[in-house]
Amino acid sequence: MSPEYSPTAPRSAVSPNDLRPAALDDVDQILVDALRRDARMPNNALAALAGIAPSTALGRVRSLIERGVIRGFHADIDPRALGRGLEALISVRLQAHARKHEAFTRRIAKLQEVVDIYFIAGANDYLLHIAVLDAHSLRDFVIEHLGADPEVAGTETTLIFEHLRPRP
Amino acid sequence: MSPEYSPTAPRSAVSPNDLRPAALDDVDQILVDALRRDARMPNNALAALAGIAPSTALGRVRSLIERGVIRGFHADIDPRALGRGLEALISVRLQAHARKHEAFTRRIAKLQEVVDIYFIAGANDYLLHIAVLDAHSLRDFVIEHLGADPEVAGTETTLIFEHLRPRP
DNA sequence: CTTGAAATATTCGGCTT
DNA sequence: AAGCCGAATATTTCAAG
């Protein structure tokens, strides 16, 4: 008998050189969902939730990490507790001839103030989400780390009044 | 003897009605830092790292949660694994007379596609970070959830090529 | 904040489907 | 391949000092 297509098995990747992690089955979905809500949920409880043995849950979670589906487990910390009560978004446009995007990214990524780096389409090249102590620190950040860089053609800073993360 | 200033004690809040969590001592700092890197680090290991007994570490972490310093523990999931390989930023401007910001926020916060809601200063009122399946879903999202709302005066959508989160 | 002990959870090898 | 079981290790948690 020739091999045949199984409709219940996960499909292979859609495009040829696709780095997408393999599709998640129902159990994986439950585990991922639970860990997204509470990364410290015991393996025990995960197993019970998913209706599998603890050892199986352990293997599943390890596989999810291995496959890159779970990229990490992190505590969400109130920036105010870290003395970073002021958050801002900074649009950054690099010089047209600038081809040192990677170097810029690496340099910016090292700065303590930087929370997110979005590499974006459109007139600007980056949107930086930063968290600092106060307005003075914000100015210092822009002047010292962006204004001083000859590759940076321009910046635009916008204050964040409130930041919500609805999912977790 | 009159009460005197103790240089080692944490200062009280700077401004009168300040909701800032109390300052963190060295041990708290270590715990917060470790849990930010790895939310699943065992309480045991945390204790050893901070140089305190496990029971003390347990109490410290609970206190940090209680005080709102730690807002949660979350697994970081690759959006591609969730079938959300396309991310975008959408600037949203509400009608000048719109005073239903809270209602808008609540409605948007419920949508599965929404990753972050930034309430910002400037010409626009919101910046939404969303993750969707593909360009078609993105268009649908804008039309259905933003374009259809009479309170929304305008939107501007920008694709995210890459999103880095340097800290963890 | 620590100790110490009981209750829970993790983890692995070996076995079953 | 993937899952379960059982048993040794490890961890969590609380009451007491």
Side-chain angles (χ1 to χ4, degrees), chain A residues 31 34-35 38-49 57 61, chain B residues 40:
Chain A
L31 297 175
L35 287 171
D38 177 12
R40 276 183 87 78
M41 181 175 291
N43 181 61
N44 242 354
L46 286 171
L49 198 67
V61 172
Chain B
R40 277 183 87 78

Side-chain angles (χ1 to χ4, degrees), chain B residues 52-91:
Chain B
I52 54 181
S55 59
T56 309
L58 188 68
R60 286 280 190 151
V61 172
R62 281 176 178 168
S63 162
L64 287 165
I65 295 168
E66 181 72 23
R67 289 184 287 160
V69 173
I70 298 177
R71 299 190 287 203
F73 302 97
H74 307 292
D76 175 26
I77 308 298
D78 187 338
R80 289 174 299 181
L82 273 48
R84 298 282 175 72
L86 183 64
E87 295 183 65
L89 295 168
I90 310 179
S91 298

Side-chain angles (χ1 to χ4, degrees), chain A residues 24-93:
Chain A
L24 305 183
D25 66 15
D26 295 345
V27 171
D28 284 342
Q29 202 79 48
I30 291 171
L31 297 175
V32 160
D33 231 62
L35 287 171
R36 206 141 72 106
R37 274 198 269 284
D38 177 12
R40 276 183 87 78
M41 181 175 291
N43 181 61
N44 242 354
L46 286 171
L49 198 67
I52 56 182
S55 58
T56 308
L58 188 67
R60 286 281 191 150
V61 172
R62 280 176 179 168
S63 162
L64 286 165
I65 295 168
E66 181 73 22
R67 283 145 63 196
V69 173
I70 297 177
R71 299 191 287 203
F73 302 97
H74 306 293
D76 175 26
I77 308 298
D78 187 338
R80 289 173 299 180
L82 273 49
R84 299 283 175 71
L86 184 65
E87 295 183 67
L89 295 168
I90 310 179
S91 298
V92 178
R93 186 167 41 87

Side-chain angles (χ1 to χ4, degrees), chain A residues 94-105:
Chain A
L94 295 194
Q95 298 290 353
H97 55 79
R99 285 294 166 267
K100 297 288 179 50
H101 280 228
E102 206 179 308
F104 176 80
T105 306

Side-chain angles (χ1 to χ4, degrees), chain B residues 17-18 28-29 50 54-56 77 81 83 95 103 167:
Chain B
N17 42 359
D18 195 320
D28 284 342
Q29 201 79 48
S55 59
T56 309
I77 308 298
Q95 298 290 353
R167 298 301 311 134

Side-chain angles (χ1 to χ4, degrees), chain A residues 74 115, chain B residues 36-37 165-168:
Chain A
H74 306 293
V115 180
Chain B
R36 206 141 75 105
R37 273 198 268 285
R165 232 193 235 308
R167 298 301 311 134

Side-chain angles (χ1 to χ4, degrees), chain A:
Chain A
M1 190 196 269
S2 63
E4 55 185 344
Y5 173 65
S6 160
T8 56
R11 310 286 190 82
S12 60
V14 179
S15 89
N17 42 359
D18 195 322
L19 294 176
R20 187 193 339 259
L24 305 183
D25 66 15
D26 295 345
V27 171
D28 284 342
Q29 202 79 48
I30 291 171
L31 297 175
V32 160
D33 231 62
L35 287 171
R36 206 141 72 106
R37 274 198 269 284
D38 177 12
R40 276 183 87 78
M41 181 175 291
N43 181 61
N44 242 354
L46 286 171
L49 198 67
I52 56 182
S55 58
T56 308
L58 188 67
R60 286 281 191 150
V61 172
R62 280 176 179 168
S63 162
L64 286 165
I65 295 168
E66 181 73 22
R67 283 145 63 196
V69 173
I70 297 177
R71 299 191 287 203
F73 302 97
H74 306 293
D76 175 26
I77 308 298
D78 187 338
R80 289 173 299 180
L82 273 49
R84 299 283 175 71
L86 184 65
E87 295 183 67
L89 295 168
I90 310 179
S91 298
V92 178
R93 186 167 41 87
L94 295 194
Q95 298 290 353
H97 55 79
R99 285 294 166 267
K100 297 288 179 50
H101 280 228
E102 206 179 308
F104 176 80
T105 306
R106 262 202 312 277
R107 188 169 68 75
I108 291 299
K110 288 196 193 104
L111 304 174
Q112 297 297 307
E113 295 92 337
V114 176
V115 180
D116 293 282
I117 302 176
Y118 298 101
F119 186 27
I120 57 178
N124 293 303
D125 296 302
Y126 294 90
L127 187 75
L128 307 180
H129 173 194
I130 74 168
V132 292
L133 174 64
D134 56 17
H136 188 263
S137 315
L138 176 55
R139 192 192 64 162
D140 285 355
F141 177 88
V142 174
I143 291 176
E144 184 173 344
H145 299 297
L146 302 175
D149 186 336
E151 301 248 330
V152 172
T155 69
E156 194 171 327
T157 301
T158 304
L159 257 51
I160 298 173
F161 292 137
E162 194 175 3
H163 176 197
L164 300 176
R165 234 192 232 311
R167 297 303 311 133

